[in-house]
Amino acid sequence: DVKVTQSSRYLVKRTGEKVFLECVQDMDHENMFWYRQDPGLGLRLIYFSYDVKMKEKGDIPEGYSVSREKKERFSLILESASTNQTSMYLCASSPDPVGYTFGSGTRLTVV
Amino acid sequence: ELKVEQNPLFLSMQEGKNYTIYCNYSTTSDRLYWYRQDPGKSLESLFVLLSNGAVKQEGRLMASLDTKARLSTLHITAAVHDLSATYFCAVGGPGGGADGLTFGKGTHLIIQP
């Protein structure tokens, strides 16, 4: 089975901190994605990447950046964390239109 | 801009009953996904529908896709408590899987004994 691993299950950070959320997949997928999930809003796409060093903005990229230096790893960066970035963050990877696999999520609280 | 609307957003039903969750989307797509999420957990893939008229069934759940009407349904037959969860539909963009999914807001389903 494809595994998408997010390094932290829970994180608490202070306002203004630089925050790194890490995601690793073990099946050589080209496509990787970062979503945030908020109650009543569903999942919203932040950034995605279809290849190493390639990145594309999703629907809500403001306040975030990403890094993909290796195919298996896709990092989400909060340059200066703010309280409105408190959320559940989900990483996903996919080799094709059928096979999206999601990680277990990182619940980030910014205080 | 692709928009995905699910309804209802909240559903409380009794065991043994049938019900349908609806998913409408605003622009042409040939990829429709249904996911289940339990509290505090990640998303579990239920169905992937890739063509007009596609119907898939797993246990008490059946999903269908009408691309002309831009509508998918998730039908629950003879509901049981274990099906209590939040169900999301998601629609693929034109990038063939490389450009992410647009999700509905989810249907929070509670099935009471």
Side-chain angles (χ1 to χ4, degrees):
Chain A
D1 277 354
V2 175
K3 209 165 177 190
V4 177
T5 303
Q6 294 183 233
S7 54
S8 302
R9 190 78 176 96
Y10 298 95
L11 276 179
V12 180
K13 297 292 181 181
R14 294 195 181 279
T15 302
E17 273 193 78
K18 190 168 186 176
V19 181
F20 293 84
L21 302 184
E22 306 288 345
C23 176
V24 177
Q25 50 97 358
D26 64 358
M27 285 299 290
D28 203 37
H29 290 171
E30 289 81 15
N31 309 313
M32 296 188 75
F33 310 87
W34 276 106
Y35 293 87
R36 66 177 280 177
Q37 181 178 17
D38 300 289
L41 295 178
L43 280 78
R44 293 177 290 166
L45 182 63
I46 305 171
Y47 266 97
F48 61 98
S49 168
Y50 53 88
D51 202 352
V52 176
K53 296 194 186 294
M54 304 303 290
K55 60 185 179 184
E56 296 286 343
K57 293 180 180 179
D59 299 318
I60 51 163
E62 296 78 18
Y64 303 95
S65 63
V66 290
S67 172
R68 194 165 181 201
E69 297 296 320
K70 293 185 178 181
K71 194 173 187 179
E72 67 270 19
R73 185 180 296 270
F74 192 35
S75 303
L76 180 69
I77 303 159
L78 287 66
E79 297 290 344
S80 176
S82 64
T83 54
N84 63 13
Q85 292 178 310
T86 291
S87 187
M88 169 72 92
Y89 290 87
L90 289 162
C91 174
S93 75
S94 170
D96 55 42
V98 176
Y100 290 91
T101 301
F102 283 83
S104 55
T106 296
R107 187 166 292 281
L108 173 67
T109 302
V110 182
V111 298
Chain B
E1 181 191 349
L2 176 58
K3 291 189 191 304
V4 180
E5 282 193 14
Q6 268 181 257
N7 68 84
L9 298 182
F10 182 82
L11 177 58
S12 179
M13 54 192 292
Q14 289 195 312
E15 280 190 323
K17 300 289 188 183
N18 304 333
Y19 210 81
T20 300
I21 300 170
Y22 297 88
C23 177
N24 289 92
Y25 54 99
S26 61
T27 63
T28 300
S29 175
D30 56 3
R31 295 180 291 121
L32 193 293
Y33 306 76
W34 284 97
Y35 289 92
R36 168 183 172 145
Q37 187 178 41
D38 293 299
K41 301 288 181 66
S42 188
L43 274 72
E44 172 191 353
S45 179
L46 293 175
F47 301 108
V48 182
L49 304 169
L50 298 177
S51 61
N52 186 41
V55 177
K56 291 197 175 180
Q57 183 162 5
E58 180 76 32
R60 301 175 188 273
L61 300 178
M62 183 174 72
S64 65
L65 177 62
D66 181 343
T67 58
K68 293 177 182 175
R70 297 178 189 160
L71 171 68
S72 179
T73 60
L74 179 66
H75 187 73
I76 303 155
T77 302
V80 293
H81 178 68
D82 285 352
L83 290 178
S84 297
T86 299
Y87 293 85
F88 292 94
C89 68
V91 178
D99 56 354
L101 303 176
T102 300
F103 282 80
K105 293 183 179 180
T107 296
H108 184 50
L109 174 63
I110 296 176
I111 299 169
Q112 302 184 14

